[in-house]
Amino acid sequence: QTCALPIFYFCPGQNMGFESRVAVVGAGVAGLSCANVLRSAGVDVLVLDKSRGVAGRMSTRRGDGWQCDHGAQYFTARHADFQAEVGRWCAAGTAAAWQPRLAVIGGDGGHQPDGGLERFVGVPRMTAPARLLAEGHEVRLEQTVTGLRRDEAGWCISTRESGEAVDRYRAVIVAVPAPQVVPLLQPCAGDMAALAAAVPMRGSWAVMLRFAARVDLPFDAAFVNQGPLRWVARDSGKPGRAGMETWLLHATAEWSEAHIEDAPDSVADVLIAAFAALGAPSPAAWSAHRWRYADSAPALGINHVWDAVAGLGLCGDWLNGGKVEGAWLSGRDLGLQVVRALVSA
């Protein structure tokens, strides 16, 4: 069922003026989705992110002759509006359907996926849809936002790298994991900080394996319901991939949390041994990555938060059911609400 959305009419390229300038903290799917709605309405938007690139947890690690998606492994589209957006991504060549030989390994009490579910991945890597969303935006990377302060001129932003900026913003959108929201908003928006503090987010260890030859297993991806592994996938078998044979191992949230401070070597030893128990050979090389905030258990299911008086909003998958679709919808819906507020101001 398609959601009825408000429509705003602006002249192409129209700028709503300095008073409407908005900053978005976080260049993942939620932040970029919100920024796109704002920009399409003529709002002057700045996107800030602490990382070296956009995409957040839709991330890909690249090395000499190899690449591997080590964050989000795929995404689905159930809502009609997100289905249309994924169609746009596919038409642009930045996403494609992925149909792996999928297995479920282990007992009945774990994950049992919907066999008819259509799965999509970014092409040629998982970051591609976010890069498409970021096109045309002013994005400042490697800027870690450490403080927000509001005065009569608007919001002022401080970053670890550049200090306090002289620019002021009519509104600020915070699109980062819940635990990162808390210290940022406690001094200026206690209620929002308390909301974020109530959301537990769990870590996840990812190990990326490289092989000199194709790994002969009876599956391309598997949900694992036993031991420390939760998910394994032949990343090099996804659409548009090239280079070495690569596999991604994700540990369970429970195992990851128990070992979140372990050294990467010891984590890799355990997960590679568990993969070997599934019939895999030893890799030629490996890399490990710790996602300290991988998912929320459970997400709040409230879509987004907006304080029109303060000009402050929250969006992200941790608010809206988790996953890529939830992030995009959260950012999109917050963007529509902010535009409505700016138009009526």
Side-chain angles (χ1 to χ4, degrees):
Q1 182 177 356
T2 302
C3 177
L5 301 177
I7 300 175
F8 304 97
Y9 294 96
F10 297 90
C11 297
Q14 175 184 356
N15 190 306
M16 294 176 67
F18 178 78
E19 290 300 319
S20 70
R21 195 170 196 212
V22 175
V24 177
V25 181
V29 168
L32 292 172
S33 174
C34 185
N36 266 359
V37 172
L38 296 172
R39 192 185 64 172
S40 70
V43 179
D44 184 9
V45 183
L46 169 68
V47 181
L48 298 157
D49 197 280
K50 68 177 183 177
S51 300
R52 291 179 295 175
V54 302
R57 283 166 287 163
M58 287 183 70
S59 293
T60 304
R61 179 75 60 84
R62 288 188 286 172
D64 185 14
W66 66 276
Q67 68 175 47
C68 189
D69 301 329
H70 60 298
Q73 290 295 288
Y74 61 85
F75 51 92
T76 58
R78 294 175 171 84
H79 192 287
D81 294 337
F82 189 58
Q83 289 172 355
E85 179 69 2
V86 172
R88 184 176 79 90
W89 296 353
C90 291
T94 61
W98 180 42
Q99 298 176 317
R101 295 174 300 155
L102 187 62
V104 178
I105 300 170
D108 295 334
H111 193 97
Q112 299 295 328
D114 179 355
L117 193 63
E118 190 171 19
R119 296 171 175 84
F120 298 88
V121 297
V123 176
R125 57 191 67 94
M126 193 59 79
T127 56
R131 291 180 179 276
L132 179 66
L133 290 174
E135 285 184 358
H137 284 288
E138 181 184 359
V139 180
R140 297 181 189 170
L141 299 172
E142 298 184 278
Q143 293 293 306
T144 307
V145 176
T146 55
L148 299 174
R149 181 176 63 82
R150 189 168 180 262
D151 58 27
E152 64 260 9
W155 285 99
C156 180
I157 298 176
S158 298
T159 68
R160 181 177 301 140
E161 295 80 5
S162 305
E164 185 173 277
V166 297
D167 294 337
R168 294 293 188 270
Y169 299 88
R170 168 64 181 84
V172 173
I173 305 303
V174 179
V176 300
Q180 296 173 352
V181 170
V182 178
L184 187 60
L185 295 191
Q186 269 179 339
C188 61
D191 289 347
M192 287 191 187
L195 177 73
V199 179
M201 293 198 73
R202 307 178 297 180
S204 176
W205 274 104
V207 176
M208 297 151 272
L209 309 180
R210 278 93 73 193
F211 298 88
R214 180 179 172 84
V215 173
D216 186 17
L217 289 173
F219 53 82
D220 299 310
F223 294 96
V224 185
N225 296 325
Q226 61 189 29
L229 289 174
R230 169 187 165 271
W231 167 261
V232 301
R234 187 195 312 271
D235 189 86
S236 51
K238 292 178 179 177
R241 272 51 176 181
M244 294 180 67
E245 173 88 350
T246 57
W247 283 74
L248 186 281
L249 314 181
H250 266 164
T252 67
E254 295 76 16
W255 190 92
S256 294
E257 283 290 297
H259 299 273
I260 202 68
E261 299 297 341
D262 287 7
D265 286 355
S266 63
V267 169
D269 286 345
V270 172
L271 298 188
I272 290 172
F275 191 39
L278 303 182
S282 297
W286 60 267
S287 301
H289 182 86
R290 178 183 64 182
W291 293 102
R292 188 172 286 278
Y293 307 122
D295 69 358
S296 52
L300 288 182
I302 61 176
N303 193 282
H304 66 274
V305 179
W306 170 242
D307 182 339
V309 175
L312 185 64
L314 294 176
C315 61
D317 64 329
W318 62 272
L319 284 160
N320 192 34
K323 307 194 182 303
V324 174
E325 179 172 20
W328 184 87
L329 289 168
S330 176
R332 189 281 307 268
D333 292 349
L334 176 57
L336 290 170
Q337 190 163 1
V338 174
V339 169
R340 188 182 299 113
L342 294 175
V343 169
S344 62

